[in-house]
Amino acid sequence: MPKKWSEKEIETTFKHMPGVKDNRSAEEILERLKADERLQEIAEKKRKPISWIPVAVAIAAVFFISLLIPSVLKKISSQPEQATNFSFEQESKMMNEEAEIERAASFAEEAALSDGNNYAVLQETLDEYFVFQIGLVFNEQVIPTSFLIPIEKVNVDFPNGKPNSVQLYEKYASKIPEEALGFTPYHPYGGSFTVSGETITHHAINDSSYVNDPLYEGIIRETFKDFKQWHSTIEREEESITLIHLQDEKNAFYKYTSSTGQSYLVKETQDSLTVKDALLNMATPPHDEVEVLIPEYVHYDITVENKVAHVQFHEELDLRTMDREEAVMLIEGFMLTAAEFNMRVQFENISPSTFERYELFAPLPTPIGSNPIYFSFE
Amino acid sequence: MNDSVFHQLYEKYHHDVFKFLIYLTRNRELAEDLVHEVYVKVLRSYQNFKGESTEKTWLFSIAKNVAIDYFRKQSVRRKHAADHFDWEKSELVGEAPSPDEFTVLNEQMQELLQALDTCTEDQKFVIHLRFLHDLSIIETAEILNWTESKVKTTQHRAIKALRRKLTTFPVERGKADHAQKME
């Protein structure tokens, strides 16, 4: 049997790791530094007078480019079809033709499966399914998941009317095969829940370890979105130990790939105060466990008008040059991020005008959930 | 080059920075090379150091960047090596041996370091700075350019991940580690 490690023991063992000293003397290290050309350069630069020749060459080059750009732009605007493919052609210089053809073919094949994997749940889903949202965990990452349960099933389980998130949690959380689906088992939380107005109180059982888990807050936020406040109390202590404002955190979406190769859209805090901040933050990864949804070569601005966030791409973004999954994730990541602020998103300078289930020339619908899983809970 | 700046930094921080790099790389020669890179960067930019952070956290953040640079370059090389992998010469992509200091660590310490090897880059840095170097949350946040809250969360996740890895049977852990590396 392997040794049982406690968290304290892990910390203490690290703290007692022995020091490892550099056996070289300061003089040896200094000698090596003195021999390094990069440090000699500094000294030389300080002494060297400024040479005007490279400066003059640079000025001449800038002048030449400034003469050249208007004529290039004019040429592009007079050839609209070519201009559409301009950025793609530039990028594709790096690739060989075969790879391009293969990618285009694979895109076409995938795109034909218009009901393929999606990451956003749309309002229209509610015609047939009831959405049970819950924060699941994979390797310390909270995945905001939407279980789509057939309406007939929910009608049978809740004959008195539409259930709230607490009722859904109490009914279905214990039936989620978290491990079989590849997640870490977290649910259901022990103890009981009471609801008063827009506040849920979690009466945790004596073991409060999960309440102190840093993932607890993220999980709760993704699971009980229809309430405003969350209190946790420990049964024995009879005092509120956690207060969470369930609707005050708005985040940007990123891509998370599990070790099993499954991709999810996940939220990460990046101090997004406005929808504009959040949509722009999507281009920067908050840490190395998630990836951005926007290709490195794509740049954009955001303007907001009448509850619609306009994403203006600097150069036309042709989704057909992207992998199908990448394109869907980009569209839906923007939609989900805007939805955090109860806003819709509209793209500008994008083609084609229709992509799978989306009409890209108009404001896109506000998604009602992310990472759908069809599950009947039978 | 300003010798007095070097001597001053050497006296105050050399052994800490060296320990940081040798624990990250487990290779004495490599740690010596990386510490040289740290000094080159520090001495080239010392005149621009504005004192917005302490000298210590500034030095550690440079050491962290030097280590990240090295590991990223290695990772690109490994990917390239995997594309052209030659089974006859597989030793070419083998790991460098640990220096003597690490072979004399007790079994628990070795096990812990092996488990740490399989953690994410963020988790490794937090564990190194917080526990092996006993730096505060504020200092760690400054070095990694994170918020204090991110340091706390990552530290907690790292310890939990380590505990999980360590309590798994070695064979299973080996498989899980492999899967995680592939990720």
Side-chain angles (χ1 to χ4, degrees):
Chain A
M1 281 292 285
K3 172 184 156 46
K4 291 267 178 204
W5 287 78
S6 70
E7 295 184 4
K8 194 78 209 156
E9 251 180 305
I10 291 174
E11 290 178 16
T12 317
T13 311
F14 273 125
K15 285 188 173 173
H16 288 120
M17 295 267 177
V20 183
K21 293 241 159 107
D22 190 347
N23 300 328
R24 301 168 302 163
S25 67
E27 283 63 38
E28 275 177 82
I29 296 164
L30 185 60
E31 278 311 303
R32 185 175 169 187
L33 285 166
K34 282 184 170 169
D36 194 307
E37 284 178 1
R38 291 170 294 175
L39 291 173
Q40 289 164 2
E41 270 171 26
I42 304 174
E44 277 170 19
K45 269 183 192 167
K46 276 184 186 165
R47 287 193 299 269
K48 211 172 171 181
I50 298 168
S51 165
W52 288 100
I53 296 170
V55 178
V57 170
I59 292 168
V62 169
F63 179 67
F64 178 70
I65 291 167
S66 68
L67 289 177
L68 202 64
I69 285 174
S71 64
V72 172
L73 289 176
K74 198 176 169 189
K75 199 174 172 189
I76 293 166
S77 62
S78 66
Q79 293 171 303
E81 279 182 21
Q82 282 177 20
T84 306
N85 295 324
F86 188 63
S87 61
F88 178 50
E89 277 172 17
Q90 269 187 328
E91 191 205 350
S92 67
K93 278 180 191 165
M94 314 268 299
M95 306 170 183
N96 62 40
E97 271 184 26
E98 270 179 42
E100 250 184 74
I101 293 163
E102 204 175 289
R103 197 162 67 147
S106 130
F107 176 83
E109 198 180 290
E110 293 272 1
L113 306 165
S114 58
D115 275 321
N117 286 339
N118 279 91
Y119 299 87
V121 181
L122 303 184
Q123 188 77 26
E124 64 204 31
T125 313
L126 299 183
D127 294 343
E128 290 177 62
Y129 297 94
F130 201 92
V131 181
F132 166 37
Q133 294 185 309
I134 187 166
L136 297 182
V137 175
F138 188 96
N139 197 21
E140 313 290 317
Q141 177 72 47
V142 179
I143 317 277
T145 312
S146 305
F147 281 94
L148 304 181
I149 313 169
I151 279 190
E152 303 78 48
K153 166 74 179 158
V154 178
N155 287 343
V156 170
D157 289 340
F158 297 96
N160 298 328
K162 193 180 155 192
N164 61 30
S165 57
V166 175
Q167 291 167 307
L168 286 168
Y169 189 83
E170 286 175 331
K171 184 78 187 168
Y172 300 126
S174 61
K175 295 179 183 166
I176 298 172
E178 288 170 280
E179 279 179 293
L181 290 170
F183 296 100
T184 309
Y186 257 81
H187 298 286
Y189 282 126
S192 60
F193 304 93
T194 52
V195 170
S196 168
E198 291 182 309
T199 303
I200 307 171
T201 303
H202 181 195
H203 307 276
I205 50 176
N206 293 337
D207 171 17
S208 61
S209 58
Y210 52 84
V211 177
N212 296 321
D213 184 322
L215 298 183
Y216 179 73
E217 189 172 326
I219 293 169
I220 295 306
R221 281 183 192 283
E222 297 309 329
T223 309
F224 302 99
K225 291 178 172 184
D226 49 346
F227 287 85
K228 281 194 173 160
Q229 278 197 333
W230 175 274
H231 284 282
S232 297
T233 64
I234 301 292
E235 216 170 60
R236 252 192 311 205
E237 296 167 10
E238 283 299 322
E239 64 180 81
S240 174
I241 57 161
T242 310
L243 169 65
I244 304 170
H245 296 283
L246 292 165
Q247 295 173 3
D248 69 349
E249 204 174 278
K250 308 197 183 304
N251 298 310
F253 275 79
Y254 301 88
K255 178 182 178 182
Y256 176 78
T257 307
S258 74
S259 56
T260 58
Q262 179 67 47
S263 299
Y264 302 97
L265 289 183
V266 297
K267 292 178 197 176
E268 286 292 331
T269 315
Q270 280 242 56
D271 299 327
S272 303
L273 302 174
T274 63
V275 68
K276 185 176 173 176
D277 293 339
L279 293 169
L280 291 173
N281 280 342
M282 286 176 66
T284 317
H287 55 77
D288 59 10
E289 285 166 53
V290 295
E291 296 165 60
V292 294
L293 303 168
I294 301 128
E296 232 175 288
Y297 58 89
V298 174
H299 303 283
Y300 59 96
D301 289 320
I302 305 290
T303 53
V304 182
E305 205 180 336
N306 298 330
K307 300 290 270 179
V308 176
H310 296 260
V311 181
Q312 295 139 342
F313 294 107
H314 293 183
E315 286 184 29
E316 187 179 67
L317 177 63
D318 189 343
L319 297 172
R320 288 165 295 201
T321 65
M322 295 171 70
D323 176 71
R324 185 257 169 198
E325 194 189 10
E326 269 179 41
V328 171
M329 280 191 151
L330 179 141
I331 296 171
E332 298 189 338
F334 273 113
M335 288 167 66
L336 285 161
T337 303
E340 289 273 291
F341 297 82
N342 292 321
M343 287 202 195
R344 300 165 76 188
V345 78
Q346 182 170 359
F347 293 113
E348 289 167 22
N349 211 10
I350 195 168
S351 69
S353 56
T354 302
F355 184 83
E356 298 198 358
R357 57 182 180 168
Y358 299 116
E359 306 289 354
L360 298 177
F361 52 83
L364 295 168
T366 308
I368 51 169
S370 54
N371 302 308
I373 297 177
Y374 290 86
F375 206 74
S376 61
F377 288 97
E378 292 296 349
Chain B
M1 202 185 102
N2 190 335
D3 291 10
S4 65
V5 172
F6 166 78
H7 283 295
Q8 179 202 326
L9 296 172
Y10 178 89
E11 286 305 319
K12 286 193 198 160
Y13 312 112
H14 182 78
H15 290 295
D16 285 341
V17 172
F18 184 78
K19 182 184 167 192
F20 176 61
L21 292 169
I22 199 167
Y23 265 99
L24 277 175
T25 60
R26 240 59 73 60
N27 181 320
R28 180 172 286 277
E29 214 173 300
L30 179 56
E32 288 174 3
D33 289 345
L34 296 184
V35 95
H36 174 82
E37 286 304 309
V38 172
Y39 278 122
V40 169
K41 287 186 192 307
V42 166
L43 294 170
R44 279 166 70 99
S45 56
Y46 191 77
Q47 57 195 17
N48 301 326
F49 174 59
K50 291 174 185 155
E52 283 164 355
S53 56
T54 64
E55 226 170 42
K56 185 180 178 184
T57 57
W58 179 60
L59 219 70
F60 266 96
S61 72
I62 290 175
K64 172 218 50 171
N65 290 335
V66 165
I68 287 178
D69 262 9
Y70 169 77
F71 286 121
R72 299 231 163 117
K73 280 178 193 157
Q74 279 302 104
S75 149
V76 171
R77 279 187 206 128
R78 252 186 245 124
K79 272 183 195 161
H80 185 73
D83 289 342
H84 308 282
F85 192 74
D86 183 349
W87 292 103
E88 304 275 322
K89 296 176 181 172
S90 59
E91 73 276 9
L92 290 177
V93 288
E95 292 290 321
S98 298
D100 294 345
E101 288 86 350
F102 292 105
T103 54
V104 299
L105 291 181
N106 70 36
E107 201 183 322
Q108 284 186 14
M109 287 175 172
Q110 295 214 20
E111 205 182 336
L112 196 51
L113 286 176
Q114 277 169 18
L116 184 61
D117 282 343
T118 67
C119 286
T120 65
E121 191 175 280
D122 281 358
Q123 290 172 346
K124 276 183 209 167
F125 278 122
V126 166
I127 294 290
H128 276 274
L129 295 169
R130 292 279 296 124
F131 302 121
L132 274 103
H133 299 279
D134 215 15
L135 294 170
S136 69
I137 285 176
I138 297 173
E139 286 173 317
T140 307
E142 257 180 37
I143 292 164
L144 298 173
N145 200 17
W146 294 353
T147 61
E148 288 172 35
S149 138
K150 184 173 173 187
V151 172
K152 287 181 202 165
T153 314
T154 310
Q155 176 185 315
H156 193 89
R157 284 180 177 185
I159 295 287
K160 283 190 79 171
L162 282 167
R163 192 171 173 225
R164 205 175 48 241
K165 287 165 194 280
L166 289 162
T167 45
T168 316
F169 282 103
V171 177
E172 287 173 17
R173 199 172 67 234
K175 282 180 193 165
D177 293 347
H178 180 68
Q180 194 170 14
K181 276 181 181 169
M182 297 302 285
E183 187 186 345

